[in-house]
Amino acid sequence: ERLLGELLAKRRRDSYLLATKGCEFDYRAGDFAFRVSPTHLAEDLGQSLEHLKSTHIDLYWLHRDDPSRPVADIVDALIAHRAAGRIRHFGCSNCSPARIREAQAHAASRGEAGFAACPPMWGLAVPDPQALARFAPGGYYEDGYRELHADGLLMVPYSGQSRGYFTKLATGARMGDDIAGLYDHPGNRGKLPVIREIATHHGCDINTVVLAYLCSQPLATIPIIGASSAAQLRESLRATALQLSTAELERLRAA
């Protein structure tokens, strides 16, 4: 945030949209204690505004949820920060569909807008349920987030390229134990022929089809990408120009 703040200080504030997260574990403490409270929120948001040299955050994410606390407390605090102009919209991550619905209902009871967005884990590769429980406490898109999506909640999925699983599978490249444990099972291996066929039809690479699966969704979806090189970034950007048909989306999902 400090580095980004130095960069953005040279630009007009209305020339970009800014998002950041708060209420994450304090990894320095090493106790993985939840930090999801109005006090922690005010502390983290204040530090972010200072580091980013900004008067407000356009989209402020809660990094965690604390199911032991009333959801109304944190929603009320977020609404108060929005009313004060510190944030414009707020979202939630690692939060169960049931808790999101509870939060949305509480905000609506006050006549206020609730969470604007949610980032579930979602991609063409379906994760192994046991591995998923260790990796993504919020859950996978098909575990209740699809219904929230249909109700109008914007989805900003992470692991949208399934951590390069299908490209590694197709090329025989080594995949780490974490990727193999999460994704490498017969169900996902069976998707590769369909991905290859659609990639050939469109004259593109496998990873472009994998990311276009999310970019082409009929409901508002903005996938988070991960790139470790300029070449990977260019490859990901190509997916925004590929519009898959409804039939292709269904084939990929059902494969």
Side-chain angles (χ1 to χ4, degrees):
E1 286 183 335
R2 291 186 180 93
L3 291 171
L4 190 58
E6 294 295 331
L7 174 66
L8 294 177
K10 304 171 185 177
R11 301 185 58 177
R12 287 176 42 186
R13 182 61 183 87
D14 62 359
S15 69
Y16 59 87
L17 296 176
L18 188 59
T20 191
K21 284 185 173 182
C23 296
E24 171 63 314
F25 300 133
D26 183 351
Y27 291 99
R28 294 165 298 185
D31 56 8
F32 295 96
F34 285 122
R35 299 180 59 261
V36 189
S37 71
T39 299
H40 291 123
L41 171 62
E43 176 185 338
D44 291 358
L45 176 57
Q47 288 183 359
S48 289
L49 290 171
E50 179 182 350
H51 295 164
L52 291 163
K53 302 181 186 298
S54 179
T55 58
H56 66 278
I57 307 295
D58 297 290
L59 175 57
Y60 193 73
W61 295 99
L62 291 180
H63 205 137
R64 299 283 169 181
D65 181 31
D66 181 355
S68 70
R69 298 185 66 93
V71 73
D73 291 351
I74 196 70
V75 171
D76 287 342
L78 287 163
I79 290 172
H81 286 296
R82 183 173 62 197
R86 300 183 191 96
I87 58 177
R88 290 188 172 172
H89 306 276
F90 53 84
C92 59
S93 55
N94 296 303
C95 189
S96 72
R99 287 277 285 184
I100 294 173
R101 289 193 180 280
E102 185 181 352
Q104 301 296 67
H106 175 73
S109 74
R110 294 189 48 185
E112 298 279 356
F115 292 124
C118 170
M121 186 182 187
W122 182 21
L124 263 179
V126 179
D128 174 81
Q130 291 184 332
L132 176 66
R134 299 190 299 271
F135 181 77
Y140 184 60
Y141 177 73
E142 301 287 357
D143 298 331
Y145 297 93
R146 175 177 289 276
E147 290 75 16
L148 289 168
H149 203 180
D151 288 342
L153 187 61
L154 170 68
M155 292 291 144
V156 186
Y158 68 95
S159 290
Q161 294 155 305
S162 304
R163 304 173 80 176
Y165 168 74
F166 289 110
T167 299
K168 291 179 174 64
L169 185 65
T171 61
R174 182 186 177 279
M175 62 180 75
D177 292 341
D178 56 340
I179 297 177
L182 192 60
Y183 292 125
D184 196 28
H185 56 77
N188 285 331
R189 289 193 288 273
K191 289 179 179 287
L192 184 59
V194 178
I195 297 172
R196 273 181 161 150
E197 180 183 332
I198 292 175
T200 300
H201 174 73
H202 289 283
C204 64
D205 54 68
I206 285 173
N207 204 42
T208 297
V209 172
V210 171
L211 189 56
Y213 173 74
L214 295 179
C215 294
S216 301
Q217 290 294 317
L219 298 172
T221 305
I222 305 174
I224 300 168
I225 66 165
S228 59
S229 69
Q232 287 183 358
L233 179 58
R234 284 191 291 268
E235 182 180 282
S236 295
L237 290 173
R238 284 198 291 270
T240 64
L242 174 59
Q243 180 66 43
L244 298 176
S245 68
T246 301
E248 288 172 325
L249 291 175
E250 186 54 36
R251 282 190 67 200
L252 288 167
R253 184 182 180 215

